[in-house]
Amino acid sequence: MNTSLPELEAHRLKSLPKAEVHLHLEGCFEAATIAQWAKTEGLALPRPQEDLFKFSGLADFLGFLDLACGLACTTERLVALSYGLCQRLADNGTGYADVIFNPTHWHAWHGRLGAMLDAMDAGFKAAEQDGLPRVGVCVSLLRTQSADAAIELVDALRALRHPRVVALSVDGNEAIAGRTGPRFAEAFRRAGDAGLRRTVHAGESSGPEGVWDAVNVLGADRIDHGVRAIEDAALVRMLVDRQIPLGICPTSNLVLGVYPSILDHPIERLRSAGVRVSVNTDDPALLGASLIGEYALCRRTFGWTDAMTKSVARTSIDASFASSDVKAQLLAALKDW
Ligand code: ADE
Ligand code: ZN
């Protein structure tokens, strides 16, 4: 539970039936775990443990993911990390999550995608058996990968047909990679043909053009972030007309420097324009976010009423890639909140 929140508000928001649709497995490492694993591996940390999660921006942050994920080199560690993610969901009253996982960060597992998915799956299954929330996995490309590497990953997913995998994703740094929509078009086309859903990081380190490409070139069912769509009125109209949901992460955008203050954040302008928005944590442990805290922040800053809060929670469930059973259960519970 988020201790900086008044207890009553935290309790109410925990009881709000909701899903999380923008959450990275890579963002769920605790500092103490990283320090302990680094010690075991005889690896020096780049900074003292208390400063470990101080990032200068997205590029610095993404570099850190390579270090953290590199330490999760055994099945046991990956199972524990996956189980811990579900515990975090339960602590926030989250009923279901789509979890993004980007194989490029996990150096010890390269070439062993099936084994890696099995290890994650074992952690998620054990969590479900203990009554913790369900999870679907969105396997992610990195923006700086080549078209061939992207197609290779999608073909491997098509061959594996792993029941835990619900979607193809792409994340990473568009400011460094430049316009890469066309580079990934074939990979996304093949994923769609194979029945995978499609979710795309855009409009965080790219401007509106990245969001246009996500929809028009990659066929995105959902956009991760998408906040910089606010800079293009025609794009906002298109997102409203086509009802394409945005998985927005306010604290992440502040910590990684997309906006200087929550008062500058466009989530409320997008929501009130009719864009379907949900709130999410992105990389909760590394960026110091909790899902309850994100809802509370928006309620406090933008005056979201209970009805608005409920409507955002409904979007989170509708926009998720959960099974129809899980969605129906959560939506029924939400009606009574
Ligand atoms: N990978 C993990 N978090 C990310 C973010 N906020 N943007 C792009 N790639 C990411
Ligand atoms: Zn993200």
Side-chain angles (χ1 to χ4, degrees):
M1 179 107 19
N2 188 327
T3 47
S4 61
L5 273 178
E7 206 172 317
L8 190 64
E9 173 81 339
H11 185 74
R12 283 206 76 219
L13 291 175
K14 182 174 177 181
S15 74
L16 175 74
K18 56 194 169 299
E20 180 155 17
V21 300
H22 184 170
L23 166 65
H24 298 259
L25 181 63
E26 292 87 12
C28 292
F29 289 98
E30 304 296 339
T33 308
I34 294 179
Q36 190 200 325
W37 289 351
K39 199 172 164 199
T40 309
E41 301 301 319
L43 205 96
L45 292 176
R47 357 180 225 275
Q49 189 180 324
E50 58 275 19
D51 295 334
L52 205 51
F53 296 165
K54 288 189 180 151
F55 305 110
S56 62
L58 183 61
D60 179 33
F61 174 77
L62 292 172
F64 184 81
L65 296 189
D66 289 334
L67 176 138
C69 299
L71 289 167
C73 52
T74 65
T75 299
E76 197 186 12
R77 288 180 186 175
L78 194 46
V79 170
L81 187 69
S82 307
Y83 188 99
L85 180 149
C86 296
Q87 187 65 63
R88 184 179 288 274
L89 297 177
D91 291 346
N92 283 272
T94 309
Y96 169 86
D98 286 329
V99 173
I100 300 164
F101 140 70
N102 184 322
T104 65
H105 295 302
W106 305 78
H107 302 290
W109 294 87
H110 283 176
R112 294 190 293 143
L113 182 64
M116 205 179 174
L117 287 169
D118 285 344
M120 285 163 38
D121 188 47
F124 295 141
K125 267 207 187 100
E128 274 165 37
Q129 275 159 10
D130 290 347
L132 299 177
R134 280 168 181 273
V135 156
V137 167
C138 307
V139 180
S140 202
L141 303 164
L142 193 69
R143 277 285 174 187
T144 38
Q145 277 183 286
S146 68
D148 285 348
I151 288 168
E152 196 181 313
L153 177 74
V154 172
D155 286 349
L157 290 174
R158 283 164 20 133
L160 281 169
R161 291 179 160 273
H162 199 290
R164 185 63 65 177
V165 176
V166 293
L168 179 69
S169 152
V170 58
D171 61 14
N173 195 336
E174 290 176 277
I176 288 176
R179 185 183 177 218
T180 50
R183 188 196 296 172
F184 297 116
E186 176 60 16
F188 271 79
R189 191 192 63 71
R190 289 188 194 195
D193 281 354
L196 291 173
R197 310 299 299 276
R198 292 174 276 199
T199 185
V200 174
H201 273 61
E204 176 203 33
S205 56
S206 62
E209 72 288 350
V211 182
W212 281 113
D213 274 2
V215 175
N216 291 336
V217 181
L218 301 180
D221 296 299
R222 195 171 70 210
I223 309 290
D224 298 316
H225 297 296
V227 281
R228 291 193 56 200
I230 198 69
E231 297 164 27
D232 181 340
L235 177 57
V236 171
R237 274 197 302 278
M238 184 275 281
L239 293 173
V240 174
D241 289 346
R242 295 186 48 181
Q243 291 287 287
I244 295 175
L246 308 184
I248 296 183
C249 311
T251 294
S252 164
N253 294 154
L254 302 182
V255 174
L256 296 178
V258 183
Y259 297 104
S261 141
I262 189 64
L263 297 172
D264 300 298
H265 197 283
I267 186 167
E268 175 53 17
R269 280 174 284 152
L270 289 160
R271 193 198 65 80
S272 58
V275 179
R276 299 172 71 207
V277 303
S278 63
V279 296
N280 305 272
T281 60
D282 209 8
D283 299 284
L286 304 191
L287 301 176
S290 74
L291 194 56
I292 289 176
E294 296 302 286
Y295 275 93
L297 178 65
C298 291
R299 281 161 68 86
R300 201 164 60 235
T301 310
F302 304 116
W304 284 5
T305 61
D306 283 355
M308 290 170 187
T309 305
K310 227 168 145 170
S311 153
V312 171
R314 188 176 309 115
T315 298
S316 75
I317 299 165
D318 284 335
S320 78
F321 301 145
S323 68
S324 47
D325 283 2
V326 169
K327 282 189 184 190
Q329 261 173 29
L330 287 171
L331 289 170
L334 182 62
K335 267 202 185 121
D336 297 333
W337 185 71

